């Protein structure tokens, strides 16, 4: 061990954790943690590897910035964008936190300064571009320091399966080893389950805590508008612009040519005169990578200041855009992946006020993206094609658009909250929905299977059985001998999965349990099996339409944690932590408390069913927990 004398004693992290809220207020001026932040921070302080997947703007940086102020040693942050690095460093310095960035944009003098500060132990957080990792001398310098945590921002760049693979990232694992394998925090705003797995594997994360949260955007109204021609797309666009009353609008196109064509079309007097008076006063601008740097900077600035209120752009526009009042994001062409789509569409409504995200979908446009894939270097066309396929699937998904997006990113907790109640799928007239015969038959088979197994299995197992997979677990449980086995073998597994999601969205099935989600039949589903009501697609189509358009309230979902109870349990935990002089998370994780607050166990037997409560904890804290739960009715 190189830095034996500097190694933290085991108890180092305990004290500061007790007053994380205090630190949050004092250092950052925030009153409370956002969902997921505390969990990630506690794990970082405890020295665990962590993968945090949270959308842009949710506050991923806090997950390492706050711990960096509490831990000894240097927190090394790998970040690919120099501009964003600068912003973060400036922000930290303004808060009195010693941070620096080392990148190619610095003068020799500035670099020497950083190196000197590092040697003198004056830097808590050091930001580095991934290419830096190739520089032998710099690595030697890092090795002479005590790097107590490696943070990998934009971690999806390490995966071929992601939408933004960067070869430089593949070296990060070597870097980590050279630095004596410090604990690692990987951060990303966009990663499917597969990409998440890939990040964990490529960075060799050791039993990482995965925090995937915050993907729901309750103020956004998603919709897809099928179009048969360019003329139809332009007409749809005009209608959307006329509808929008205030704020800025962003229109994304796949190519520079489309950007210029669309901008030229919208600027025509004949078009402007057709728009509503309010819309016709708007200034139209455009942006793509083919424009000169100074022109781009100017357009950027004019959009931020509101001088340009309708901006037509390629995906070159957006990195680091944080304009709060974008009211409408239209995709004029289909993007290459759901990740790209959600990131771009997600620039709408940052201020929390209602905003719309519309995809104008013409099947022919898919070939433009196919062309990009063929041109892409480095032979991961298969992965890119897969991403594109999923994007096309989004356009034709039968369920709530928001749910489809949450499902894509694996945000289980938010998925459990149910459909959004405002997207085009949620508000469509149930009678206009597909009642495809095969699909209905498949839905019945799914309902039968779930009923047959009495809610003992999750979606994956149900899919395996219906598809007729001879997997170990299917054979082990003898499921291949049940009538459900292979009943839907004519459908692909994803297709069966989709049927299950439709049934969940429409309230015929429900998902129980957050950690090990199991499928259960609802009363509505049971009535379909009895044959007393026809199977209708569409969320809760039996409810009056006013109610149908509302997202489901927390109280309607049995497994949703009761926030008051959660807070009371948290207070109990703080008291216990004080009494015992240990960190709160050593008593119960937030996750455990959320489980308790959702399930409200009223007896010791029920309590021990909760994951995270072993016999020792049951004996020590069980009675007090039950007092809090039972006292809160
Ligand atoms: P991300 O990296 O996830 O895109 P950032 O870390 O840049 O997001 O944070 C986005 C914004 O949210 C920043 O302005 C940050 O200061 C703010 N923020 C982060 N955490 C909190 C919090 N707990 N309470 C209030 N604001 C927060
Ligand atoms: Zn919806």
């Amino acid at each position: 061990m190189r830095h034996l004398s500097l190694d933290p004693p085991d108890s180092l992290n305990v004290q500061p954790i007790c007053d994380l809220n205090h630190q949050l207020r004092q250092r950052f001026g925030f009153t409370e943690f956002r969902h997921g932040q505390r969990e990630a921070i506690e794990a970082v302080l405890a020295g665990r590897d962590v993968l945090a997947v949270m959308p842009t703007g949710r506050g991923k940086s806090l997950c390492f910035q706050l711990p960096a102020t509490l831990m000894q040693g240097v927190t090394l942050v790998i970040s690919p964008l120099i501009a964003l690095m600068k912003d973060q460093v400036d922000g930290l310095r303004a808060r009195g936190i010693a941070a620096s960035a080392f990148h190619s944009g610095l003068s020799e003098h500035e670099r020497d300064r950083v190196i000197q500060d590092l040697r003198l132990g004056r830097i808590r957080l050091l930001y580095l571009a991934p290419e830096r990792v190739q520089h032998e001398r710099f690595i030697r310098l890092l090795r002479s320091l005590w790097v107590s945590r490696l943070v990998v921002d934009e971690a999806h760049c390490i995966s071929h399966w992601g939408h933004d693979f960067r070869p430089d990232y593949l070296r990060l694992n070597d870097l980590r080893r050279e630095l004596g394998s410090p604990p690692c925090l990987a951060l990303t705003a966009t990663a499917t389950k597969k990409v998440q797995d890939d990040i964990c594997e490529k960075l060799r994360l050791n039993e990482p805590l995965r925090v995937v949260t915050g993907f729901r955007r309750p103020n956004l109204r998603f919709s897809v508008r099928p179009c048969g021609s360019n003329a139809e797309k332009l007409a749809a666009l005009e209608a959307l612009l006329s509808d929008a009353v205030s704020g800025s609008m962003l229109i994304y196109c796949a190519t520079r040519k489309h950007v210029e064509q669309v901008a030229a079309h919208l600027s025509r007097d004949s078009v402007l005169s057709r728009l509503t008076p309010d819309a016709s006063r708007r200034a139209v601008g455009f942006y793509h990578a083919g424009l000169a740097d100074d022109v781009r900077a100017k357009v950027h600035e004019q959009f931020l200041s509101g001088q340009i209120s309708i901006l037509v752009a390629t995906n070159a526009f957006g990195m680091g855009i944080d304009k709060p009042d974008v009211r409408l994001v239209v995709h004029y062409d289909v993007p290459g992946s759901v990740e790209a789509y959600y990131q771009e569409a997600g620039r709408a409504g940052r201020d929390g006020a209602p905003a719309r995200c519309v995809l104008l979908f013409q099947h022919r446009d898919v070939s433009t993206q196919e062309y990009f894939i063929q041109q892409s270097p480095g032979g991961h066309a298969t992965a890119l094609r897969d991403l594109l396929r999923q994007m096309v699937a989004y356009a034709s998904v039968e369920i709530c658009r928001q749910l489809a997006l949450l499902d894509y990113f694996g945000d289980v907790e938010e998925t459990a909250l149910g459909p959004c109640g405002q997207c085009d799928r949620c508000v469509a007239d149930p009678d206009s929905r597909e009642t495809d015969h095969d699909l209905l038959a498949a839905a019945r088979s799914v309902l039968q299977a779930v009923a047959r197994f009495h809610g003992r299995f999750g979606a994956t197992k149900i899919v395996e059985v219906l598809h007729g997979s001879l997997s170990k677990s299917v054979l082990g449980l003898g499921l291949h001998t049940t009538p459900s086995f292979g009943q839907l073998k004519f459908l692909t597994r994803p297709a069966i999965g989709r049927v299950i999601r439709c049934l969940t969205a429409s309230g015929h099935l429900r998902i129980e349990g957050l950690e090990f989600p199991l499928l259960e039949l609802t009363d509505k589903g049971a009535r379909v099996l009895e044959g007393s009501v026809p199977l209708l697609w569409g969320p809760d189509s039996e409810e009056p339409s006013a109610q149908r358009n509302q997202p489901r309230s927390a109280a309607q979902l049995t497994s949703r944690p009761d926030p008051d109870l959660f807070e009371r349990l948290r207070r109990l935990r703080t008291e216990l932590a004080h009494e015992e002089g240990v960190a709160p998370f050593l008593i119960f994780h937030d996750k455990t408390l959320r489980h308790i607050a959702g399930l409200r166990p009223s007896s010791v037997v029920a309590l021990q069913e909760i994951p995270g409560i072993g016999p020792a904890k049951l004996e020590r804290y069980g009675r007090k927990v039950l007092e809090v739960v039972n006292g809160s009715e």
Side-chain angles (χ1 to χ4, degrees):
M1 289 291 303
R2 265 170 292 122
H3 293 282
L4 210 50
S5 59
L6 282 176
D7 268 3
D10 284 348
S11 60
L12 172 84
N13 297 322
V14 170
Q15 187 46 42
I17 289 176
C18 294
D19 48 16
L20 272 185
N21 274 322
H22 175 72
Q23 296 289 349
L24 181 70
R25 227 167 309 146
Q26 208 178 31
R27 290 274 184 192
F28 293 87
F30 303 147
T31 47
E32 55 186 10
F33 286 103
R34 290 185 181 151
H35 191 117
Q37 283 181 328
R38 177 181 268 275
E39 227 176 338
I41 288 171
E42 287 179 350
V44 167
L45 287 170
R48 262 186 91 170
D49 285 344
V50 179
L51 168 62
V53 189
M54 300 177 189
T56 310
R58 271 286 295 204
K60 284 185 289 299
S61 331
L62 192 78
C63 301
F64 61 86
Q65 291 180 343
L66 179 57
T69 67
L70 300 174
M71 297 190 304
Q72 295 181 21
V74 178
T75 295
L76 190 62
V77 186
I78 308 294
S79 171
L81 294 161
I82 294 177
L84 295 190
M85 253 187 225
K86 280 201 190 115
D87 287 350
Q88 292 218 358
V89 168
D90 291 346
L92 286 164
R93 287 187 178 164
R95 299 191 151 107
I97 300 165
S100 279
F102 198 91
H103 53 74
S104 49
L106 297 185
S107 68
E108 188 131 357
H109 174 70
E110 287 169 319
R111 288 192 203 191
D112 289 347
R113 179 72 194 274
V114 176
I115 291 175
Q116 175 142 35
D117 283 348
L118 276 172
R119 292 216 168 100
L120 292 173
R122 285 193 190 140
I123 293 180
R124 287 268 186 179
L125 285 123
L126 178 67
Y127 286 79
L128 274 190
E131 14 345 323
R132 227 357 82 186
V133 172
Q134 298 175 32
H135 297 235
E136 267 299 319
R137 257 187 51 211
F138 197 74
I139 302 295
R140 272 206 300 282
L141 168 69
L142 289 177
R143 285 177 53 173
S144 71
L145 307 169
W146 171 26
V147 173
S148 54
R149 162 86 36 185
L150 176 67
V151 178
V152 180
D153 203 4
E154 311 287 346
H156 60 276
C157 294
I158 206 170
S159 174
H160 288 100
W161 299 105
H163 63 121
D164 195 14
F165 172 64
R166 297 178 190 219
D168 274 334
Y169 267 68
L170 291 176
R171 297 170 199 269
L172 294 179
N173 186 44
D174 290 339
L175 171 73
R176 189 176 175 207
R177 220 179 20 239
E178 294 214 41
L179 298 177
S181 300
C184 181
L185 166 64
L187 299 169
T188 168
T190 54
T192 56
K193 183 77 182 29
K194 193 171 189 169
V195 173
Q196 291 170 25
D197 290 344
D198 209 21
I199 293 170
C200 293
E201 196 198 306
K202 293 245 168 59
L203 288 171
R204 307 247 194 295
L205 300 188
N206 179 21
E207 295 186 19
L209 172 74
R210 283 196 202 191
V211 183
V212 183
T213 192
F215 280 92
R216 185 180 282 266
R217 295 287 307 274
N219 59 320
L220 301 189
R221 221 170 101 210
F222 293 95
S223 59
V224 178
R225 173 77 199 267
C227 294
S229 64
N230 268 336
E232 211 178 304
K233 288 208 280 186
L234 288 172
L237 189 56
E238 285 173 31
L240 286 165
L241 294 176
S242 269
D243 266 0
V245 280
S246 64
S248 307
M249 335 265 146
L250 255 173
I251 299 157
Y252 278 108
C253 300
T255 61
R256 295 174 191 183
K257 197 168 124 210
H258 273 185
V259 164
E260 294 189 8
Q261 282 171 351
V262 171
H265 175 84
L266 292 178
S267 308
R268 261 181 225 144
D269 285 343
S270 57
V271 174
L272 287 176
S273 64
R274 279 205 302 273
L275 299 179
T276 52
D278 188 63
S280 65
R281 277 197 297 274
R282 293 165 181 278
V284 181
F286 69 94
Y287 185 106
H288 57 62
L291 300 176
D293 285 354
D294 55 334
V295 177
R296 276 196 287 168
K298 179 126 188 268
V299 173
H300 190 150
E301 196 190 298
Q302 288 179 326
F303 183 68
L304 290 186
S305 70
Q307 270 169 283
I308 290 178
S309 51
I310 299 175
L311 184 66
V312 192
T314 60
N315 60 7
F317 186 77
M319 275 295 187
I321 295 299
D322 201 5
K323 187 166 169 52
D325 64 340
V326 177
R327 296 272 72 86
L328 171 70
V329 175
V330 179
H331 277 77
Y332 186 82
D333 300 307
V334 68
S337 68
V338 178
E339 282 97 320
Y341 178 68
Y342 207 39
Q343 204 154 50
E344 287 158 11
R347 297 197 171 110
R350 283 281 168 82
D351 53 6
R356 293 194 68 180
C357 309
V358 185
L359 168 65
L360 303 179
F361 185 69
Q362 186 181 8
H363 221 285
R364 218 174 53 199
D365 299 338
V366 176
S367 56
T368 312
Q369 292 293 343
E370 282 276 0
Y371 173 79
F372 288 148
I373 293 173
Q374 279 162 22
Q375 303 303 307
S376 75
H380 58 295
T382 320
L384 292 176
R385 230 168 245 130
D386 199 46
L387 292 172
L388 178 59
R389 231 189 326 266
Q390 308 218 44
M391 185 61 220
V392 175
Y394 167 79
S396 53
V397 73
E398 301 93 339
I399 62 163
C400 167
R401 306 270 180 208
Q402 176 74 85
L403 271 188
L405 292 164
L406 293 172
D407 181 67
Y408 184 82
F409 292 107
D411 190 338
V412 180
E413 293 198 19
E414 293 282 354
T415 304
L417 269 175
C420 76
Q422 57 183 352
C423 71
D424 57 344
R425 285 306 188 219
C426 281
V427 300
D429 177 2
D431 295 337
S432 72
R433 286 174 178 273
E434 302 94 308
T435 45
D436 183 297
H437 215 72
D438 290 342
L439 218 55
L440 284 185
R444 278 183 193 281
S445 300
V446 168
L447 292 177
Q448 276 160 2
V450 173
R452 177 166 288 130
F453 302 127
H454 301 291
R456 270 160 52 222
F457 301 129
T460 317
K461 184 82 35 73
I462 301 279
V463 170
E464 279 186 352
V465 172
L466 287 168
H467 184 65
S469 315
L470 287 167
S471 71
K472 244 195 217 142
S473 67
V474 167
L475 291 173
L477 292 163
L479 301 177
H480 58 297
T481 61
T482 62
S484 292
F485 185 76
Q487 214 171 26
L488 297 182
K489 57 174 176 285
F490 55 90
L491 290 180
T492 63
R493 283 185 223 211
I496 303 174
R498 265 199 302 280
V499 176
I500 292 180
R501 286 199 293 274
C502 287
L503 288 167
T504 312
S506 59
H508 293 91
L509 292 177
R510 113 181 117 232
I511 299 171
E512 282 295 3
L514 294 179
E515 195 143 55
F516 303 107
L518 301 176
L519 277 180
E520 269 181 24
L521 206 59
T522 60
D523 289 346
K524 187 173 167 185
R527 285 203 299 280
V528 170
L529 278 187
E530 288 159 18
S532 56
V533 285
L535 179 57
L536 275 183
W537 294 115
D540 297 328
S541 47
E542 290 161 353
E543 291 171 20
S545 61
Q547 249 179 22
R548 176 159 33 100
N549 292 355
Q550 292 298 318
R552 272 190 252 172
S553 79
Q556 282 170 279
L557 289 142
T558 48
S559 61
R560 230 11 229 183
D562 167 350
D564 286 346
L565 179 53
F566 179 64
E567 265 323 299
R568 273 196 294 278
L569 289 164
R570 263 245 293 243
R571 273 201 294 276
L572 169 68
R573 178 176 66 175
T574 313
E575 281 167 29
L576 293 170
H578 271 296
E579 275 170 28
E580 306 198 2
V582 298
F585 78 92
L586 290 176
I587 299 191
F588 291 124
H589 268 285
D590 271 10
K591 203 170 196 169
T592 312
L593 295 187
R594 267 200 292 279
H595 265 286
I596 301 175
L599 293 172
R600 295 180 159 273
S602 56
S603 66
V604 177
V605 179
L607 191 58
Q608 70 186 1
E609 295 289 305
I610 303 234
I613 302 197
K617 293 206 170 164
L618 193 66
E619 195 182 317
R620 272 168 78 175
Y621 314 120
R623 196 177 46 81
K624 288 190 173 160
V625 170
L626 288 175
E627 272 171 22
V628 172
V629 175
N630 293 329
S632 65
E633 295 295 337

